[in-house]
Amino acid sequence: MEGDSTNLDAQIESLLNVEKQMRLASDVAGTRKAVIDIVELCYKAGAWKTLNDQIVLLSKRRGQLKQAITAMVQKAMEYIDLTPDMDTRIELIKTLGSVSAGKIYVEIERARLIKRLAKIKEEQGKIEEAADLMQEVAVETFGSMAKTEKIAFILEQVRLCLDRQDYVRAQILSRKISTRVFDADPSKEKKKPKEGDNIVQDAPAEIPSLLELKRIYYELMIRYYSHNNDYLEICRCYKAIYDIPAIKEDPAKWTPILRKICWYLVLAPCDPMQSSLLNSTLEDKNLSEIPNFRLLLKQLVTMEVIQWTSLWTFFKEEYENEKNLHGGALGDKAAEDLKLRVIEHNILVVSKYYSRITLKRLASLLCLSLQEAEKHLSDMVNSKSLIAKIDRPMGVVSFSTAQDSNGILNSWATNLEKLLDLVEKSCHQIHKETMIHKAVLKA
């Protein structure tokens, strides 16, 4: 063994001399070949420590050529999977990472190395370390990295943040991806690089396609929005997944997603965005395949009071199925929120039909106690989704629509126009009468 190592050292020494001559002569191809030969020699001898030492040594030699370092890092990266044990693997990744740190020409290799290291850390259960490692790299600034690889990298950063429950950072990172990227037509983007442009590298084989990345992105965003029960945003994410061609064409895939869209639509508070999504979903032909949900959405659109007890009896089984089979954010809170949405819908319906109503009658229509009815009404007035005033001594609620200054001015202007119109007509009639009267007198 001693002889082997002496022999290896001698071979490396002679190759280092070759590398020095080539480097001083600025022979790019020759230097690159010499560097790769040294790396291969160490690998074949199974001398992993020597390999690490040589990589560091070669990268620090005076006036070392960029192309040689790039070739060396790329060659050594091929050996990562061939290492005999995990410690050797981590050591090699760290060595290559330190060599490529701060060098723009090997930034993509560095990003891939860090991703590998983070994966190992995650498998060891060190989520915090993995997330910290990944956050160091800002791939969005890399000019020569393929778009899909960039997105995949950022999604990995977001996933690790969600795993460690760092929701603030997860949102900041997710904003680095514009959703318009997923709608781009990949066939139109194959343009040749201009002279002087960085040539964009092809993404590695394991990187998913753009549409697959779109699905992963929205699934991560659903995890983020589920954290603070933002039902409307969760619904919009499912809608985006639902529109992916591969899912739209397969009933087995789109049925559970359409069910989720319906559930989250019903759970979302009423606002213009929710109404437009509700109406567009109702127009979807696929909805007729799941008639129960069509019925549920129809009840929300119809301006009629919904009986909570009968609705819950009808949908309890569907709700339990959704909760147990498909997971998602349909927890106990969702059941409370569903009841709350039904109450809000009923109050809005009542406000459309009545200008004034007693609290007692309102409470009986909503199947609630007086205190509950008053509380829900007050909450809706606070959230500005309804305008109402309660006369508590009389126990009367009046639904008045308060107009803003523009509305009042407009109504005044209209009334003035009508008044002037009437004055003009009256003057015309008087004038006509006078003319007829004069004509009669003359005769």
Side-chain angles (χ1 to χ4, degrees):
M1 186 68 204
E2 189 60 42
D4 279 0
S5 76
T6 321
N7 190 16
L8 177 65
D9 290 343
Q11 285 176 300
I12 290 175
E13 201 56 49
S14 67
L15 279 169
L16 282 174
N17 287 331
V18 175
E19 185 270 338
K20 185 177 180 183
Q21 288 166 3
M22 294 298 178
R23 177 163 43 85
L24 294 177
S26 297
D27 180 345
V28 174
T31 315
R32 195 191 285 150
K33 184 179 182 310
V35 166
I36 289 177
D37 284 348
I38 294 171
V39 172
E40 276 187 332
L41 190 66
C42 295
Y43 162 66
K44 282 174 183 159
W48 295 101
K49 187 170 182 332
T50 315
L51 174 63
N52 288 337
D53 296 344
Q54 290 302 323
I55 290 170
V56 175
L57 178 80
L58 286 165
S59 70
K60 288 184 176 168
R61 297 195 97 174
R62 196 162 61 94
Q64 186 56 279
L65 306 175
K66 289 179 185 177
Q67 294 91 329
I69 293 182
T70 308
M72 174 178 73
V73 171
Q74 286 172 347
K75 187 70 188 168
M77 279 175 75
E78 294 171 15
Y79 302 143
I80 292 174
D81 288 331
L82 306 169
T83 46
D85 54 57
M86 189 52 78
D87 291 340
T88 315
R89 181 172 301 180
I90 292 173
E91 200 53 46
L92 180 58
I93 294 176
K94 282 185 174 170
T95 304
L96 289 170
S98 66
V99 165
S100 54
K103 298 184 175 74
I104 286 182
Y105 48 90
V106 279
E107 61 185 2
I108 294 183
E109 283 75 10
R110 177 171 163 73
R112 288 173 187 164
L113 285 163
I114 285 180
K115 196 173 176 185
R116 291 289 298 272
L117 190 55
K119 198 164 180 58
I120 292 170
K121 293 282 182 200
E122 190 185 359
E123 283 163 4
Q124 293 173 345
K126 300 174 182 170
I127 300 284
E128 300 275 335
E129 278 187 47
D132 288 338
L133 271 172
M134 288 292 276
Q135 271 152 42
E136 290 172 19
V137 190
V139 283
E140 66 277 8
T141 60
F142 295 1
S144 53
M145 192 184 245
K147 192 198 312 180
T148 48
E149 193 176 353
K150 272 187 204 177
I151 296 170
F153 197 95
I154 296 171
L155 288 179
E156 197 62 16
Q157 289 176 322
V158 174
R159 184 183 66 77
L160 283 166
C161 281
L162 287 172
D163 285 351
R164 72 191 279 196
Q165 298 185 330
D166 184 350
Y167 293 101
V168 176
R169 192 164 276 131
Q171 187 195 22
I172 295 167
L173 288 165
S174 72
R175 284 185 176 163
K176 291 179 178 179
I177 299 174
S178 160
T179 50
R180 290 201 301 275
V181 172
F182 300 123
D183 304 325
D185 186 358
S187 58
K188 290 178 184 169
E189 286 186 11
K190 286 279 180 235
K191 60 175 194 295
K192 286 195 168 68
K194 294 187 205 79
E195 202 58 51
D197 269 11
N198 269 349
I199 293 176
V200 175
Q201 289 192 17
D202 288 335
E206 74 270 9
I207 298 292
S209 66
L210 201 57
L211 285 172
E212 183 61 18
L213 287 169
K214 178 178 181 178
R215 188 182 60 76
I216 298 168
Y217 169 78
Y218 282 110
E219 281 174 357
L220 287 172
M221 292 319 290
I222 288 166
R223 275 180 65 187
Y224 169 71
Y225 289 122
S226 301
H227 157 65
N228 44 10
N229 289 324
D230 193 337
Y231 298 123
L232 186 61
E233 286 301 334
I234 297 175
C235 175
R236 289 178 66 195
C237 291
Y238 275 121
K239 195 100 177 76
I241 295 176
Y242 177 70
D243 289 334
I244 297 172
I247 287 171
K248 200 92 185 244
E249 290 156 11
D250 185 355
K253 284 180 183 167
W254 63 246
T255 310
I257 291 176
L258 190 55
R259 287 164 64 103
K260 284 189 169 67
I261 290 174
C262 294
W263 274 122
Y264 288 113
L265 262 178
V266 177
L267 287 166
C270 187
D271 69 2
M273 170 76 79
Q274 188 255 7
S275 309
S276 71
L277 264 175
L278 191 62
N279 290 314
S280 66
T281 310
L282 268 170
E283 285 164 18
D284 191 338
K285 291 188 179 70
N286 290 342
L287 198 61
S288 52
E289 301 289 324
I290 41 175
N292 281 0
F293 287 90
R294 187 179 179 77
L295 194 69
L296 182 64
L297 296 190
K298 264 272 186 278
Q299 281 186 303
L300 276 190
V301 180
T302 315
M303 274 298 147
E304 285 176 17
V305 171
I306 301 172
Q307 285 296 112
W308 165 249
T309 40
S310 56
L311 178 94
W312 185 238
T313 325
F314 190 73
F315 282 103
K316 191 171 194 304
E317 198 179 326
E318 287 283 9
Y319 176 82
E320 292 298 332
N321 279 351
E322 190 69 38
K323 193 172 149 187
N324 301 333
L325 288 178
H326 307 289
L330 285 185
D332 299 328
K333 183 162 180 352
E336 292 167 25
D337 287 342
L338 183 62
K339 187 173 184 180
L340 190 62
R341 294 296 162 264
V342 170
I343 293 169
E344 285 173 5
H345 167 84
N346 290 346
I347 292 177
L348 283 171
V349 170
V350 171
S351 73
K352 288 271 193 300
Y353 289 112
Y354 290 85
S355 55
R356 292 170 80 237
I357 186 172
T358 62
L359 248 179
K360 200 172 176 188
R361 174 83 179 115
L362 179 69
S364 73
L365 280 171
L366 300 176
C367 308
L368 296 171
S369 68
L370 280 173
Q371 285 83 4
E372 284 181 315
E374 192 178 309
K375 179 188 172 295
H376 287 301
L377 191 62
S378 309
D379 288 345
M380 285 184 75
V381 172
N382 275 342
S383 64
K384 295 196 168 50
S385 50
L386 179 74
I387 294 153
K389 288 194 175 96
I390 304 174
D391 181 346
R392 292 179 89 171
M394 293 285 287
V396 173
V397 182
S398 61
F399 299 104
S400 56
T401 49
Q403 277 189 320
D404 59 350
S405 48
N406 287 343
I408 294 168
L409 283 171
N410 284 340
S411 67
W412 284 358
T414 320
N415 290 344
L416 268 174
E417 260 178 48
K418 281 184 185 167
L419 179 68
L420 290 170
D421 210 26
L422 282 169
V423 170
E424 205 175 315
K425 273 187 183 164
S426 308
C427 289
H428 184 69
Q429 292 288 352
I430 293 167
H431 191 63
K432 190 175 162 188
E433 289 285 324
T434 317
M435 296 297 280
I436 293 168
H437 196 63
K438 275 184 182 172
V440 170
L441 284 176
K442 275 181 185 173

